[in-house]
Amino acid sequence: MIDISHVSKTFHPRAGRRGTQPVTALDDVNLTIGDNEFVTLIGPSGCGKTTLLRMVAGLTSVDEGLIRVDGKVVRGPSPDRAMVFQAFALMPWASVLRNVAFGLELRGTPKREREELARDLVRKVGLAGFEKSLPAELSGGMRQRVGIARALAVNPSVLLMDEPFGALDEQTKRMMQEELLRIWEMERKTVIFVTHSIDEAILLADRCVLMSARPGRIHEIETIHLPRPRSRADETSAEFIETKARLWDHLRSLQLAEEPKRVGV
Amino acid sequence: MSVGPDTAMSELGLKPAIEGRPTSVPSAPVLLPDSRGQRWASLAVRVCTADGFYNLVSLVGGLLLWEIIARVFERPYLPAFTSVVDRLWELIRSGEILGDLSRSVQNLGLGFAFAAVLGVVVGTLMGRYAVIEKMLDPYVYALMTAPTVVFTPVYFSIFGLQRWAIVALIVQYSIFVIIVNTVTAVKTVDRELVEMASVFGAREHQRITKIVLPAALPLIMAGMRLGMGRAVKGMINGELLIAVVGLGATSEGFARAFDAEGVFAVLLVVVFVALAATKLVELVDRKVNAWLPNSQR
C-alpha cells in the first residue's frame, strides 16, 4: 500500500538567477493506493504529476508531508519501487538480456540464475530471440518492452511508470497499451502511471487521478468501472465514453479557471 | 596532436558534426568483364576508392617533395629521403637501433600506463565530485599549459640519471589531456542512466563502475589517443634532455657527430613508434567501444 499524506514540494531557482521565483510544484497532496491497484496520474503540464512519481521513487525529496510504502517511509530509491522511464534509460553498451538482468546484477544474483530469470521475462514481454541485441538495434516499442521487463525482473511491489509510451508513435503506443494490460494480468503489481493521454489513463486504470497545476493539487479522482481483462474494444463502451466526457469537463474547467490568471499576469 | 579536449570531442563526432566523419566511399559498381578496357577501368575505380588510398597518395607526394627539395638545395642538415633510408637500413642491420627502440618503447609503455590509470582515476573523481574538481582544477590547467620541459631538472634530481626520470616526464606530458577528457566524459554521462541505476539499487561504486565509466569510455578513449601522441613527445624529449638511453639519446649522439642522416633515420623510427602507438590505442578503442554505432565514431 502506498500512502501519500500532506505532501508539498517547492522548487527554488538556483541562487544568482534573476527573474525566476520559487515554484510550488505540489501543495498538500493526499492519496492512498491499494495493493495491486493500477492508478493513472493525468493533468496539464506543470501539475507536478512527474514530481509526485519521482517522490514515490525516492529520486526527489519531499519538503513537507510523508510518503509511506508498505508502512515504510520513503527516504531514497529502492528496487522495491521499480521505475519505467519515458526515454527508456537502457544501457546502450549492454545486450537486452543484461539490461533486463541489471537490477539482479546489482543485487549480486549469480549470473546463471539472473539470466534464466531475465530470459523468462524477455519472453513474457514478447522479445524472445532478441536477447543478444543491443538497444540501438531495437525499435522504440521494443526498447520500452526491455524497460518493462527490467522493472519486473527485480520483482518490485510497486511499478512506477513515467509517461512510458510518451516517446512512441501512435500505433506503437496503442499496441504497447494492450501489451501492458496483458503483462499486468500476468504480473499484478501496484502501478502508478503518469500520462498525458486521457484514453490511456482510462483504458489502463482502476482509478484515474486528475491533477491541477500551479500549485499542483489533486483535483478529482475517477474510479474506472470497466471490467478486466480489458482490451481496445472497451474504448467504445458506454462507461468509457462517459468517463472520458467527465474527465474532459474537469480538464476544461481547470483550463477556464486558469485562463484569467494567465491573462492577468 | 597536442590540442585540448575540443579536438577529442570532434574526433568522436560529438560536437561540430553529429553525423560523424564520412565513412569510406561505397564500393565500386559491379561491371561485367566483357572487355579489357572496362575491366581495367573497374580495377582503377576499385583502387581509387579503397580505404587509405588518398593517404597513400599524399604520403608518396610528401616524400617525393622532400627528396626533390633536399636534392635541389643540398644543405648539410637536410639529407634526402633516400639517403636517410639507407642510413636507417644500416642502423637496423647493425642492431644498433633495435636496442634503442625496445628501451624507448618500454619507457613509453610504462609512462603511458601510469598516465592512463592515474588520469582516469583522477578525472573520474573530478568529474563526479564538484569539491574535488574545484580543488584540483587550478593545478590540472596550470600543469597542462606549463611547458613540461621546465620540469626535467626536477625529475632528474629526484630520480637521477635513470629510466624513472624519463617515465615521470612521459606521465606529465600525457596525463593532463587524459584527465581533462575524462572529466568532460564523466560530466556528460546521461543523468537518467545514473538515476536508473539508483532506482534499481546501485550504490555509488556500482554507479561508477557499471554506468559512469562504460558510458564515458568513448570520450575517455579519445583522450587516450591524444595522450599517447603526447607521451611519444615526452619520451623523445626525456631521452634528449636526460639522454641516458633510447632513441633520443642516440639521436643526440648523431647530432653531435653532425650525422644528419642518422638524426633523420631515428626520427623516422620515432614517427613509426608514434603511429604504431596511436594505432594500438585506436584498436583498443574499437574493441572496448564496439557497441557505438559507426556514425558516432
Side-chain angles (χ1 to χ4, degrees):
Chain A
M1 197 176 82
I2 303 171
D3 185 24
I4 300 167
S5 66
H6 303 290
V7 164
S8 298
K9 177 79 190 177
T10 305
F11 287 111
H12 297 276
R14 242 189 257 169
R17 253 190 227 177
R18 272 189 294 165
T20 42
Q21 282 172 355
V23 179
T24 310
L26 292 171
D27 182 36
D28 195 29
V29 171
N30 292 284
L31 183 65
T32 305
I33 299 168
D35 284 340
N36 298 345
E37 189 181 11
F38 200 127
V39 168
T40 50
L41 297 183
I42 193 167
S45 48
C47 70
K49 51 193 189 294
T50 292
T51 305
L52 188 60
L53 189 83
R54 288 176 57 90
M55 283 173 151
V56 178
L59 289 173
T60 300
S61 64
V62 179
D63 283 355
E64 274 173 60
L66 272 184
I67 297 177
R68 276 195 216 93
V69 175
D70 294 332
K72 272 178 277 175
V73 178
V74 171
R75 297 196 192 283
S78 147
D80 199 36
R81 284 161 272 128
M83 194 152 166
V84 178
F85 297 81
Q86 181 177 11
F88 318 130
L90 301 179
M91 299 179 287
W93 56 85
S95 67
V96 165
L97 201 63
R98 186 162 170 232
N99 266 294
V100 171
F102 186 59
L104 300 169
E105 181 184 332
L106 292 172
R107 240 178 235 183
T109 311
K111 189 166 176 161
R112 183 177 294 178
E113 200 178 313
R114 66 177 190 246
E115 289 200 337
E116 203 172 305
L117 216 147
R119 225 177 278 280
D120 196 43
L121 277 164
V122 166
R123 213 173 302 125
K124 253 186 199 164
V125 298
L127 281 181
F130 291 94
E131 289 86 353
K132 292 198 172 118
S133 305
L134 292 175
E137 296 159 1
L138 306 178
S139 69
M142 290 161 90
R143 284 181 213 183
Q144 198 55 294
R145 286 168 198 253
V146 177
I148 293 170
R150 173 178 63 191
L152 292 174
V154 292
N155 194 22
S157 62
V158 179
L159 201 55
L160 304 169
M161 307 184 85
D162 184 13
E163 294 188 43
F165 308 144
L168 305 179
D169 61 73
E170 197 57 34
Q171 265 176 306
T172 315
K173 186 189 288 189
R174 296 185 139 240
M175 206 169 68
M176 287 300 290
Q177 289 162 0
E178 290 203 303
E179 274 295 289
L180 182 62
L181 284 172
R182 183 182 66 82
I183 295 165
W184 190 72
E185 289 296 337
M186 288 190 291
E187 304 240 354
R188 289 252 175 166
K189 302 272 177 208
T190 311
V191 181
I192 306 183
F193 186 110
V194 169
T195 176
H196 267 127
S197 150
I198 292 188
D199 287 39
E200 188 169 82
I202 299 170
L203 182 68
L204 299 175
D206 295 318
R207 276 191 303 159
C208 176
V209 176
L210 177 66
M211 295 179 70
S212 65
R214 280 170 288 262
R217 284 192 184 126
I218 290 180
H219 183 76
E220 192 66 51
I221 299 179
E222 277 283 346
T223 305
I224 316 289
H225 296 291
L226 294 169
R228 294 196 185 261
R230 294 183 193 162
S231 73
R232 271 260 98 77
D234 290 310
E235 283 187 353
T236 49
S237 69
E239 164 76 12
F240 189 97
I241 291 163
E242 278 161 28
T243 314
K244 189 172 170 179
R246 271 202 304 279
L247 278 170
W248 266 119
D249 280 343
H250 287 309
L251 266 176
R252 201 170 299 129
S253 71
L254 282 179
Q255 291 271 287
L256 287 176
E258 194 145 306
E259 218 62 51
K261 256 194 273 172
R262 272 199 207 145
V263 175
V265 171
Chain B
M1 262 302 166
S2 58
V3 204
D6 285 356
T7 329
M9 296 283 274
S10 63
E11 257 187 45
L12 269 173
L14 285 184
K15 261 233 173 117
I18 293 166
E19 66 272 20
R21 74 167 186 218
T23 44
S24 57
V25 189
S27 56
V30 182
L31 295 176
L32 291 173
D34 52 359
S35 81
R36 220 182 209 172
Q38 237 171 17
R39 211 182 301 169
W40 278 111
S42 121
L43 184 70
V45 168
R46 216 167 293 172
V47 168
C48 288
T49 54
D51 257 356
F53 173 71
Y54 292 102
N55 290 354
L56 196 69
V57 169
S58 138
L59 196 64
V60 170
L63 292 177
L64 212 64
L65 199 66
W66 175 3
E67 187 76 19
I68 290 167
I69 290 174
R71 296 254 178 241
V72 168
F73 292 100
E74 279 202 62
R75 291 295 145 117
Y77 284 105
L78 183 60
F81 172 65
T82 43
S83 48
V84 171
V85 171
D86 280 347
R87 184 83 177 92
L88 180 61
W89 181 235
E90 231 173 79
L91 290 171
I92 291 172
R93 263 198 323 192
S94 72
E96 209 173 325
I97 214 155
L98 289 180
D100 288 340
L101 181 64
S102 99
R103 275 183 288 274
S104 286
V105 168
Q106 278 173 32
N107 290 345
L108 183 68
L110 269 174
F112 184 73
F114 271 116
V117 172
L118 206 63
V120 169
V121 170
V122 172
T124 306
L125 291 174
M126 285 175 71
R128 189 112 180 106
Y129 308 109
V131 177
I132 296 181
E133 192 194 10
K134 280 189 186 127
M135 278 167 47
L136 294 185
D137 221 30
Y139 295 104
V140 168
Y141 280 93
L143 288 172
M144 188 167 76
T145 43
T148 312
V149 173
V150 174
F151 292 87
T152 316
V154 178
Y155 296 132
F156 180 75
S157 67
I158 295 174
F159 298 105
L161 267 176
Q162 283 192 43
R163 147 173 294 170
W164 294 109
I166 298 171
V167 170
L169 202 64
I170 294 174
V171 171
Q172 197 190 338
Y173 258 90
S174 56
I175 195 170
F176 296 108
V177 258
I178 298 176
I179 292 180
V180 169
N181 264 278
T182 306
V183 172
T184 313
V186 166
K187 278 189 175 171
T188 49
V189 169
D190 184 4
R191 254 190 60 195
E192 202 178 48
L193 266 186
V194 181
E195 267 185 357
M196 180 278 291
S198 297
V199 164
F200 286 98
R203 293 157 191 273
E204 176 65 3
H205 72 271
Q206 288 176 313
R207 286 195 286 264
I208 289 178
T209 55
K210 291 191 186 286
I211 300 290
V212 172
L213 284 179
L217 204 51
L219 251 184
I220 291 177
M221 286 310 292
M224 294 280 182
R225 283 199 212 184
L226 297 175
M228 186 54 108
R230 286 175 151 228
V232 172
K233 254 195 205 167
M235 171 190 85
I236 294 306
N237 280 341
E239 289 171 356
L240 278 176
L241 295 166
I242 299 171
V244 268
V245 285
L247 294 168
T250 305
S251 142
E252 175 82 355
F254 288 148
R256 283 210 197 104
F258 303 107
D259 178 359
E261 278 92 356
V263 171
F264 274 84
V266 174
L267 186 69
L268 280 190
V269 175
V270 169
V271 170
F272 170 76
V273 169
L275 289 180
T278 29
K279 192 75 196 169
L280 184 73
V281 178
E282 198 183 312
L283 286 178
V284 173
D285 186 7
R286 285 197 176 265
K287 179 97 184 137
V288 296
N289 292 318
W291 57 274
L292 267 189
N294 273 327
S295 59
Q296 278 178 40
R297 286 190 180 277

